[in-house]
Amino acid sequence: MNGLVKRAFRYRFHPSEAQAAELSRTFGCVRKVYNLALQARAEAWTLRGERVGYEATSALLTAWKRAEELAFLAEVSSVPLQQALRHLQTAFTNFRAKRARFPRFKSRKKSRASAEYTRSAFRWCDGALTLAKMAEPLDIRWSRPLPEGVLPSTVTVSRDAAGRWFVSLLCEDPGVTPLSATDSVVGIDVGLDHLLVLSTGEKIGNPRHERRDRTALAKAQRALCRKQKDSNNRAEARVKVARIHARIADRRTDHLHKITTRLVRENQTLVIEDLAVSNMVGNHRLARAINDAGWRQFRQQLQYKADWRGRDVITVDRWFPSSKLCSVCGALAVSMPLHVRMWTCGCGATHDRDVNAARNILAAGLAVTVCGAGVRPQRNPPGGQSATKQKTPRREP
């Protein structure tokens, strides 16, 4: 890790009526500018084969503000509108690099309501934050202090589906420094019966946050379905459903933060599987449980915290047969159905399915670092399977 880490500190705040109205107008204008710019860039490419960049859309924004039907764009701060054009440019860059899909239009009902302010569009004075076009500072609930002596470089204001308002302050945090090196290594196997199983034998339970509120969520969703579309009662019922989802998501995020922080502090090297979660949720029998477990969020948190603290995260090929491979002798079982939790190898070793998988993941990850076994599977691996062998070999008739 080189230099200071840029870190976002997120807080809830309660806007006044005037501030809420101003921010709502800003959200709408940001969405409008993004959609107009996306349409202009798509039409230029489709009709004329021309690529339109940020500079051209910025000039278009000036023309849009002068048009009578879009004069309302000039009533809000211009900085969030310019930032929307920059975000669109980033979206096209990621699309051309095949890191993302083609940018999509923002929806008033489904898209995230947010606006980004740079330093020229807000005032920070003695812990009080005042945004452009506002006379009073935001009423922020300071759940934790900002790093001493730092100034936010970017402020992002958002409103979620549950009607909660958040402000995110991007700062350079001098407190994020690498931890002292340690010899501890751990393999991690994610699951549903247990959220995580470590190669040390430790099992971390799955709280199943969604199941705790499943009855209340079903009741709220039934009430929502009975309401007339586009009515005020339906809007209120939708907010009730969103609040339950938000409560579930908050508990899940908090639990994962505690787990990932502990793992990064205690271990120098962490080995995990490269799971394709988006493909796995295609199984409708397991999709609900997988989404509730938060495997994708777990990996994201583990990765960036390891980068901050000078730890190593190694990923093992998703097709590596960690559950079917004996961690003692290396023999590969022909099949291993999900209902089999304990099994005995031909060598006489009895394995807990998840603990055995975690130990195999650790061994494969260490093999990747030592001899590069994860780069390309061996065609004739000595002594059995390579670290990334993907399927059980067929038996000759």
Side-chain angles (χ1 to χ4, degrees):
M1 182 182 65
N2 298 323
L4 295 178
V5 170
K6 285 191 174 183
R7 186 177 181 183
F9 292 82
R10 188 166 175 255
Y11 305 93
R12 284 195 66 178
F13 75 97
H14 300 283
S16 63
E17 292 185 4
Q19 290 174 337
E22 176 64 28
L23 289 173
S24 296
R25 284 195 299 269
T26 303
F27 294 158
C29 292
V30 166
R31 184 176 61 251
K32 183 67 173 179
V33 167
Y34 186 95
N35 289 342
L36 287 173
L38 176 55
Q39 182 179 4
R41 296 181 67 149
E43 289 180 351
W45 176 256
T46 302
L47 300 178
R48 303 184 299 274
E50 176 185 354
R51 283 189 177 182
V52 176
Y54 165 76
E55 292 77 9
T57 54
S58 181
L60 287 174
L61 175 59
T62 303
W64 293 334
K65 289 182 178 180
R66 294 173 181 172
E68 183 177 355
E69 64 275 12
L70 297 175
F72 58 87
L73 295 178
E75 298 176 359
V76 301
S77 173
S78 62
V79 173
L81 307 184
Q82 293 287 347
Q83 291 299 101
L85 299 180
R86 291 188 175 93
H87 294 164
L88 180 61
Q89 178 64 34
T90 301
F92 271 99
T93 301
N94 292 333
F95 167 69
R96 296 190 184 106
K98 298 182 179 181
R99 292 190 296 265
R101 295 184 296 178
F102 189 84
R104 292 175 291 180
F105 290 98
K106 291 184 178 293
S107 167
R108 181 175 64 87
K109 294 183 178 180
K110 296 182 180 180
S111 298
R112 179 171 177 259
S114 65
E116 185 176 295
Y117 296 79
T118 57
R119 279 184 178 172
S120 61
F122 67 85
R123 184 171 66 254
W124 176 263
C125 181
D126 297 330
L129 177 66
T130 306
L131 301 178
K133 302 287 185 177
M134 294 185 184
E136 298 178 352
L138 300 180
D139 183 15
I140 301 176
R141 298 295 185 260
W142 297 102
S143 55
R144 53 177 174 169
L146 286 176
E148 186 176 356
V150 303
L151 297 175
S153 59
T154 302
V155 172
T156 303
V157 182
S158 61
R159 183 185 61 217
D160 66 3
R164 303 180 300 176
W165 295 82
F166 294 94
V167 58
S168 180
L169 310 177
L170 183 63
C171 310
E172 290 186 344
D173 189 359
V176 178
T177 55
L179 297 172
S180 56
T182 177
D183 296 332
S184 179
V185 296
V186 66
I188 305 172
D189 179 57
V190 298
L192 297 178
D193 289 340
H194 295 88
L195 180 62
L196 302 177
V197 177
L198 309 184
S199 56
T200 58
E202 178 184 357
K203 296 183 177 182
I204 300 175
N206 185 1
R208 303 183 186 275
H209 302 285
E210 185 268 342
R211 181 176 292 183
R212 291 172 53 184
D213 281 338
R214 185 171 296 178
T215 302
L217 181 60
K219 182 179 179 180
Q221 288 174 330
R222 286 196 298 268
L224 174 63
C225 292
R226 289 194 295 266
K227 300 298 186 291
Q228 183 179 356
K229 289 188 176 181
D230 298 326
S231 65
N232 292 333
N233 287 338
R234 186 177 179 85
E236 293 177 1
R238 182 196 57 78
V239 172
K240 290 182 180 179
V241 173
R243 286 175 179 171
I244 298 175
H245 279 295
R247 184 166 64 245
I248 295 171
D250 288 345
R251 288 201 303 261
R252 181 186 302 115
T253 301
D254 178 70
H255 183 64
L256 292 177
H257 271 301
K258 293 175 181 177
I259 293 175
T260 52
T261 299
R262 179 174 74 87
L263 290 175
V264 169
R265 285 177 177 174
E266 295 177 353
N267 301 280
Q268 179 66 38
T269 303
L270 305 102
V271 187
I272 59 176
E273 280 186 293
D274 183 22
L275 297 177
V277 179
S278 58
N279 295 338
M280 298 176 71
V281 295
N283 184 339
H284 297 294
R285 294 184 177 182
L286 299 176
R288 192 175 202 171
I290 292 175
N291 286 326
D292 188 30
W295 292 349
R296 188 195 306 274
Q297 189 177 8
F298 165 75
R299 176 171 176 177
Q300 291 173 345
Q301 291 185 12
L302 193 71
Q303 186 67 62
Y304 79 74
K305 290 180 181 180
D307 293 339
W308 284 358
R309 299 300 185 178
R311 303 309 200 193
D312 300 319
V313 175
I314 301 173
T315 56
V316 175
D317 192 285
R318 68 186 61 170
W319 298 109
F320 175 62
S322 57
S323 298
K324 298 189 293 183
L325 195 65
C326 177
S327 58
V328 176
C329 68
L332 185 65
V334 177
S335 64
M336 189 67 61
L338 285 176
H339 68 271
V340 177
R341 310 314 302 175
M342 300 289 295
W343 63 284
T344 302
C345 179
C347 67
T350 300
H351 298 292
D352 179 290
R353 177 194 183 103
D354 298 326
V355 176
N356 177 68
R359 290 172 178 168
N360 285 327
I361 290 171
L362 174 61
L366 296 180
V368 169
T369 60
V370 173
C371 60
V375 178
R376 181 174 298 172
Q378 303 173 22
R379 297 191 179 276
N380 296 305
Q385 299 281 333
S386 68
T388 58
K389 192 65 176 178
Q390 298 185 3
K391 296 182 180 179
T392 304
R394 292 183 178 181
R395 294 185 175 182
E396 296 296 332

